[in-house]
């Protein structure tokens, strides 16, 4: 999905690189795309390596991580957009020991925490979509939010990524069930001092909807959970895409502020006005 609205003064805090094996384009091309669209700053948050064989098809290895560092450092030159350094670190059972030692050793600006697996099932993987037709959808969502609770309790992450990712293929629980299962996860995110992202990649997926939904975002706002914006770009043209729609969603949920981050410290700023579409 593409927009031709005026540029917004909003950073894009979720950008990948080819090191994840499912993104294309040099990091300099992502920076150039951001500059062309007036995005003031970007944060590369590629999938963090692990010390196990967890999902090797979608992340860099520990041996490749120095290359990732160098790639980002090489484009941190003066002039907009400012380039920040981050990772998207998956939460899975047993990851804590590695991450609690590895994350503090690196000068990250932002660490996104995400859940992509229920046990061994990559529930957002198009190649495993058929599994949804053989499972109890509500039970899967319950298990997902239980993992989000665990993620928040580690206090290892700054932001919860694409909070309602299980809706990617439009498999959803009943509305009342969603609130019941999401509330504890939102409580734990708030208690951990984490934020959540408005992730516009959902607009480019079968569900055709930003992560999270208006309901979830409203419940997050009621708990004072701060927000940032991310395109989850896997190609340069994705950078900043869908941000006008995300800004409208933030206002609809009652938000008036968003945060920027440096060295894992958040600063709240007023949301910019919604730009008018061109005539």
């Amino acid at each position: 999905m593409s927009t031709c609205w005026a540029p917004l003064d909003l950073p894009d805090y979720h950008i990948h690189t080819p090191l994840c094996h499912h993104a294309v384009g040099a990091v300099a091309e992502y920076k150039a795309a951001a500059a062309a669209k007036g995005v003031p700053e970007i944060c590369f948050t590629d999938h963090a390596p692990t010390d196990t064989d967890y999902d090797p098809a979608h992340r860099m290895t520990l041996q490749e991580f120095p290359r990732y560092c160098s790639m980002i450092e090489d484009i941190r030159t003066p002039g907009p957009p400012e380039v920040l350094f981050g990772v998207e670190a998956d939460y899975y059972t047993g990851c804590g020991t590695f991450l609690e030692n590895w994350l503090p050793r690196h000068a990250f600006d932002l660490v996104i925490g995400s859940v992509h697996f229920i046990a061994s099932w990559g529930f957002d993987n198009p190649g495993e979509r058929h599994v949804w037709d053989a499972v109890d959808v509500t039970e899967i969502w319950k298990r997902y939010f239980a993992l989000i609770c665990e993620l928040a309790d580690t206090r290892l992450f700054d932001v919860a990524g694409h909070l309602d990712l299980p809706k990617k293929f439009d498999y959803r629980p009943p509305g009342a069930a969603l609130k019941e299962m999401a509330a504890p996860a939102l409580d734990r995110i708030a208690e951990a001092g984490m934020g959540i992202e408005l992730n516009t990649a959902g607009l480019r997926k079968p569900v055709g909807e930003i992560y999270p939904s208006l309901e979830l975002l409203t419940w997050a706002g009621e708990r004072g959970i701060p927000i940032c914006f991310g395109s989850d770009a896997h190609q340069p043209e994705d950078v900043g895409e869908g941000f006008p729609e995300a800004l409208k969603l933030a206002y609809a949920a009652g938000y008036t502020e968003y945060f920027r981050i440096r060295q894992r410290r958040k600063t709240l700023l007023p949301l910019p006005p919604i730009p008018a579409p061109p005539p």
Side-chain angles (χ1 to χ4, degrees):
M1 183 172 182
S2 179
T3 61
C4 56
W5 292 13
L8 297 176
D9 189 28
L10 290 173
D12 189 337
Y13 281 169
H14 196 150
I15 296 176
H16 291 272
T17 80
L19 287 175
C20 71
H21 312 301
H22 57 288
V24 298
V27 291
E29 294 178 285
Y30 287 86
K31 182 178 181 180
K37 294 180 180 180
V39 177
E41 62 185 43
I42 57 175
C43 188
F44 285 93
T45 50
D46 214 351
H47 293 286
T50 74
D51 62 343
T52 71
D53 60 355
Y54 170 83
D55 192 31
H58 298 102
R59 70 196 60 253
M60 71 187 87
T61 64
L62 280 168
Q63 292 72 31
E64 290 174 317
F65 180 71
R67 180 182 167 203
Y68 177 63
C69 298
S70 297
M71 287 165 55
I72 307 309
E73 188 60 33
D74 286 348
I75 62 166
R76 298 184 88 171
T77 53
E82 186 167 355
V83 176
L84 306 184
F85 177 51
V87 284
E88 180 181 7
D90 278 39
Y91 177 80
Y92 57 93
T93 301
C95 71
T97 300
F98 168 71
L99 289 177
E100 67 189 13
N101 289 289
W102 184 77
L103 289 173
R105 288 162 39 200
H106 304 287
F108 294 122
D109 290 300
L110 170 65
V111 177
I112 298 174
S114 299
V115 172
H116 290 93
F117 279 78
I118 304 292
S120 61
W121 173 38
F123 61 84
D124 72 320
N125 186 337
E128 300 184 57
R129 177 177 180 168
H130 63 280
V131 178
W132 278 105
D133 295 320
V135 298
D136 182 324
V137 170
T138 300
E139 180 60 27
I140 291 299
W141 278 76
K142 287 180 181 177
R143 293 174 64 184
Y144 171 80
F145 277 115
L147 288 169
I148 295 294
C149 287
E150 294 178 16
L151 179 159
D153 287 349
T154 68
R155 302 297 199 270
L156 291 171
F157 309 97
D158 304 309
V159 171
H162 35 59
L163 187 58
D164 52 358
L165 183 61
K167 74 181 181 187
K168 179 175 178 177
F169 303 117
D170 211 19
Y171 292 87
R172 306 176 192 244
L178 176 63
K179 187 169 188 178
E180 180 180 356
M181 66 181 74
L186 292 169
D187 289 341
R188 308 276 261 281
I189 288 169
E191 290 165 8
M194 293 173 61
I196 60 173
E197 64 167 354
L198 273 65
N199 183 311
T200 60
L203 294 171
R204 308 189 295 273
K205 306 303 181 184
V207 71
E209 182 180 295
I210 291 169
Y211 309 112
S213 65
L214 177 59
E215 292 100 332
L216 272 169
L217 190 59
T218 301
W219 301 331
E222 291 169 353
R223 291 162 170 81
I225 297 171
I227 58 169
C228 63
F229 296 78
S231 65
D232 210 338
H234 283 71
Q235 53 187 357
E237 53 263 42
D238 292 341
V239 175
E241 284 299 289
F243 276 22
E245 292 89 339
L247 181 60
K248 289 170 64 177
L249 181 66
Y251 276 118
Y255 278 88
T256 59
E257 295 179 314
Y258 74 103
F259 70 83
R260 296 196 184 192
I261 197 165
R262 293 289 186 288
Q263 298 177 357
R264 308 193 64 182
R265 293 174 181 258
K266 303 180 186 74
T267 301
L268 289 174
L269 296 169
L271 286 171
I274 298 172

